Each structure stands twice: as structure tokens, then as C-alpha cells.
Amino acid sequence: MGREQWKKIWVGSAGNMVEWFDWFVYATFAVYFADSFFPEGNETANLMNTMGIFAVGFFMRPVGGWLLGRIGDRRGRKAALTLTVTLMSASAVLIAIAPTYDVAGYGGVAVLMVARLLQGLSVGGEYAASATYLTEASAPEKRGFASSFQYVSMTAGQLVGLGLQILLQRNMSEQALHSWGWRIPFVVGALGAGIVFYLRRSMLETEVYAESGAAEQQDRGTLKVLWQHRREAFLVMALTMGGTVAYYTYTTYLTKFLSKSAGMEKSTASLVSFCALFVFMCVQPLAGMLSDRIGRRPLLITFAIGSTFLTVPIMTMLRHADTFWPALGLALLALVVITGYTSINACVKAELFPTGIRALGVGLSYAVANALFGGTAEYVALWFKNAGAESGFYWYVAGCAAVSLIVYLTMRETRDIDLNRVAAVRDGKETSPAGATSVTPAS
């Protein structure tokens, strides 16, 4: 992999890290600010309300996937990536200065809601732009490896957030964290986004996009063209379902599950998450490299089988794992299984679409599935807990993985797709350049 390709991956990943730091610190610090924006009462209910706002951000992600995916296809990946980090910076500032319930009543909730809507818009576009950028910026035989850095950077952003949380927990009192300390990570996120904005202004466009001729297609990045690739779009939604539910279960929800359900100290729960996520981050490129050798489907199928049959026993044992080492071992097992999805899902989705519709096709399809399943995962988990049937959530996660397993078993391999193909649509029929390789999902 050449120096220029590494530069593209580095800049794209650095921005993705900051984007996801801002996105995830809302979830990781929710246990500290949940009571600040609502009247005193049931702690679990307040956390549910706060995570409900978290879920609202997910429902803006399809809008972000559409709007910024369109910009990515029409004006280039660089333009979309620069805009996403600008929106994220603005949302972080809003959360950092949001007034509490004691100061402004439900006015603070309104500010929080606007900030989460902006974050949803930004992250919805970030996924599409970074997935296409990282996939297109790499050599054909290295796409799995290069695209794995999307989840490396996503996890790094979460690790920085968790590391900051652990640092604050060890140097601030519980009262100070609940009072004002929770605002610190959002200030850090806003500053980081400003730095990444500067870096992304000088980033290079991918050669695949620049040389494909997609920029000259009048209908590029439109819903009309996406509809002509609706089978691929529905495939992206179906293969995302199980992966996104499992991912959010063992990342953003894990700390709260260990502290609220297993009775573990918050600081210990945060340390478990930090250590597990660090190992998880390190294995992403290894799995990506493996997919470049054996294909994408074997990894996806392994993930789905593991999640379908191991989720219930892992979550059941985690429920009773109130000390560090047993919890860490179980968390690592779950995250290693999920790696079969996370390490390659970006390139699999990007490989399904032609260049002129790639960012929109990936972004909108993924965002819809993520809003329906990933964004609601924590809320569903808390709903089951509040209803006194927490184990029902374990079966829900396993069921979502089972649905995706069916998709993985029936879809075709995408590893050898030629990203330089440019689909031209004339009179309702799609044509491709001679010699281009196309892919059609199996029925």
C-alpha cells in the first residue's frame, strides 16, 4: 500500500475517530447527566428518557445518509467528509452548554434534542462518506484491510471517550461528575472536530471517484438511480440488522449493563469496556486482511452463527459477572465474534454499488437499518429491564443475528468486484463498461 493511500486512510480515519468520539460520549456519560435534564424520580426512567433522545439521533441518520451521501456522489467524498465534521463540532458545542432542568426546565431537553439531531445528520453522512472513501482509497487486493480502519477509528473514538471517563472518575468526585464534569468530553470533542476540519480541507479525493466519470453523470447521487439498485439497498439493510444490534449491545450498552444489571462499580465497568474495546480495535485489521484472502462471506457467516447461538449464554453470564476478569473474558468473546461483521461491513456495502451512487446507496440503506435496530438497541434493552424481563433482550439480539445469517448464506461474494465500473442508465436499462465485474445479490 503506497504512501498516498496511507495518507488518505489516516486522514479519513482521524476524522471518523472524532466523529464517533462525539457520538459515543453521549451514551457513555449518560449515566451522569440523565438526571440533569429531567425532574427527580426513577433513575431508570430518567436514563430511558435520555437514551430515547439518543435513539432520536439515529432517526436523523437516514436524512444524513441521503443528504450527505448525495453530496458525496455529486461533489466528491472530500466535500461530504468536511461537512460532516462541521456539523458534529456544532452539536458537541450545544451539548456542552445545554442548560439543566433546574436552570431552564425542559429547555435543556430541547437543546439536547437539537444537538442529537445534528449529530444524527452528521454521523449518517460520515458512515457513507468514510466507508466509500476508505474502500476506494485502497488497492483492490487490500480493500478489506483498508476499510477495517473505519471500525478501528470508530472504536478508537469510543476508547478515547471511555479513557476520559475513567480519568474523570478517578480524579473527580461523583457529585462533581453529575453536576458539571460530564460536560468536559463534549468540549474536548468540539476542539477535536475543529482540528479534523483543518485536516480534511487538504485531503485528497479518491482516484476511483476522480477517474470514474461519475462526477459528469447528471443523475448521480439521486434517489431515482438508487431505486434502480434497490435490491442492493435492501441487501445492505438486511445484512446490517444483526451486526448493528450486536455491536451496540456490547459497546455502548455494555458499561450500563454491567453497572445497572450485574451490580458492578461504574469505574470497574468502564475499565472492562475499555480493555475489551482495545483488543477489539486491534483485531479489526487482522480480520480485514483475512477477508482479502478468503472472501467476505465466511467472516459474515461466522459472526452470524456465533451471535445467534452465543448471545443468550454470554449475556446471561455477564448478568452475574460482578468482577473484572470474568466480565472482560465474556466481553472479549462477544466482540471477537462481532469482528466478523465490523471489520468488513464497510467494504461489503461499498462493493455492491457503482461509483456514481455508492455514497448514497451505502449511506441511506445503512442509516435506515441502523435507525431501526442499532439506535433502538439500548432503549429496547432498558424497556425489557424496566418490564422485569431483561432476558428477553438477549433473545432479541440473537433473533436479529439469525435474520442476517439467512442473508449472508444467500448473498454472493463481493471481494473481486471492480470498483472502477461505472453503471450508465439509459431508457431504464443498466449497462456497464466492457470487462467490468458486476454483482447481483442472490434471491
Side-chain angles (χ1 to χ4, degrees):
M1 188 173 291
R3 182 177 179 181
E4 288 300 321
Q5 290 179 330
W6 275 112
K7 181 179 179 181
K8 291 175 182 178
I9 291 172
W10 156 245
V11 175
S13 298
N16 201 38
M17 181 185 74
V18 173
E19 287 267 0
W20 288 94
F21 168 85
D22 287 337
W23 179 259
F24 280 123
V25 290
Y26 181 100
T28 57
F29 278 84
V31 292
Y32 292 108
F33 65 76
D35 293 333
S36 297
F37 294 97
F38 298 96
E40 293 184 6
N42 185 291
E43 184 178 349
T44 300
N46 283 348
L47 186 58
M48 284 183 66
N49 289 331
T50 307
M51 296 317 300
I53 296 175
F54 179 78
V56 166
F58 277 84
F59 285 97
M60 277 299 289
R61 289 175 67 165
V63 179
W66 165 71
L67 178 62
L68 294 165
R70 177 183 172 88
I71 291 173
D73 284 329
R74 298 184 72 85
R75 299 192 177 183
R77 317 313 188 201
K78 174 183 174 180
L81 286 168
T82 303
L83 181 55
T84 59
V85 78
T86 303
L87 294 173
M88 187 60 78
S89 178
S91 65
V93 171
L94 282 177
I95 297 176
I97 64 174
T100 63
Y101 181 83
D102 292 337
V103 173
Y106 286 107
V109 174
V111 174
L112 203 63
M113 182 74 74
V114 171
R116 286 301 295 176
L117 292 175
L118 286 176
Q119 282 192 337
L121 190 70
S122 174
V123 173
E126 174 68 24
Y127 181 90
S130 64
T132 53
Y133 190 88
L134 290 172
T135 303
E136 291 178 352
S138 61
E141 69 278 6
K142 299 288 186 180
R143 287 201 302 257
F145 172 72
S147 66
S148 71
F149 282 88
Q150 183 179 47
Y151 270 80
V152 169
S153 55
M154 284 173 61
T155 307
Q158 190 173 3
L159 282 173
V160 173
L162 276 171
L164 181 57
Q165 184 181 46
I166 293 170
L167 181 66
L168 294 177
Q169 286 171 337
R170 295 184 182 277
N171 292 277
M172 296 181 67
S173 66
E174 189 84 359
Q175 182 180 2
L177 277 171
H178 282 274
S179 177
W180 60 272
W182 60 265
R183 298 182 187 271
I184 295 176
F186 298 103
V187 174
V188 172
L191 294 175
I195 295 173
V196 172
F197 175 80
Y198 173 78
L199 292 174
R200 284 188 168 178
R201 288 190 65 185
S202 60
M203 72 191 302
L204 302 172
E205 186 58 80
T206 67
E207 292 181 6
V208 170
Y209 182 82
E211 298 176 1
S212 67
E216 282 72 49
Q217 298 174 20
Q218 292 185 352
D219 56 357
R220 64 194 183 278
T222 62
L223 293 176
K224 175 183 177 181
V225 176
L226 180 59
W227 181 249
Q228 293 159 357
H229 296 274
R230 56 189 177 275
R231 294 187 68 188
E232 289 86 348
F234 285 118
L235 178 61
V236 168
M237 293 173 62
L239 67 87
T240 298
M241 179 182 177
T244 191
V245 171
Y247 177 74
Y248 279 98
T249 297
Y250 294 112
T251 55
T252 58
Y253 182 60
L254 179 63
T255 304
K256 288 183 283 295
F257 180 75
L258 290 175
S259 63
K260 300 294 183 182
S261 297
M264 186 177 291
E265 291 290 332
K266 289 180 181 177
S267 58
T268 304
S270 296
L271 186 60
V272 169
S273 292
F274 183 90
C275 294
L277 286 171
F278 180 80
V279 176
F280 173 71
M281 178 182 68
C282 293
V283 300
Q284 299 305 300
L286 300 178
M289 291 173 63
L290 181 62
S291 79
D292 287 326
R293 295 180 64 88
I294 67 174
R296 321 299 188 209
R297 288 181 68 248
L299 272 71
L300 291 172
I301 292 170
T302 299
F303 148 71
I305 292 175
S307 290
T308 299
F309 294 103
L310 294 179
T311 294
V312 174
I314 287 176
M315 292 295 289
T316 301
M317 288 187 285
L318 275 173
R319 173 68 176 78
H320 301 286
D322 56 356
T323 56
F324 176 81
W325 289 109
L328 178 61
L330 291 166
L332 284 175
L333 174 60
L335 288 172
V336 168
V337 169
I338 295 171
T339 296
Y341 166 81
T342 56
S343 61
I344 59 171
N345 83 97
C347 66
V348 169
K349 295 163 188 174
E351 287 165 346
L352 290 171
F353 296 95
T355 305
I357 197 64
R358 184 168 294 131
L360 178 60
V362 173
L364 182 57
S365 307
Y366 169 80
V368 169
N370 210 247
L372 293 174
F373 301 103
T376 59
E378 290 194 56
Y379 193 85
V380 171
L382 291 170
W383 183 87
F384 274 110
K385 178 179 175 60
N386 210 39
E390 191 167 32
S391 61
F393 177 68
Y394 314 162
W395 291 99
Y396 169 77
V397 177
C400 290
V403 172
S404 288
L405 174 59
I406 297 172
V407 177
Y408 303 151
L409 289 171
T410 56
M411 68 180 288
R412 294 181 181 178
E413 181 57 61
T414 64
R415 179 186 59 177
D416 298 322
I417 289 293
D418 179 10
L419 293 184
N420 289 296
R421 76 189 191 281
V422 181
V425 180
R426 297 186 180 92
D427 301 324
K429 296 181 179 180
E430 180 184 319
T431 61
S432 299
T437 304
S438 61
V439 62
T440 303
S443 301

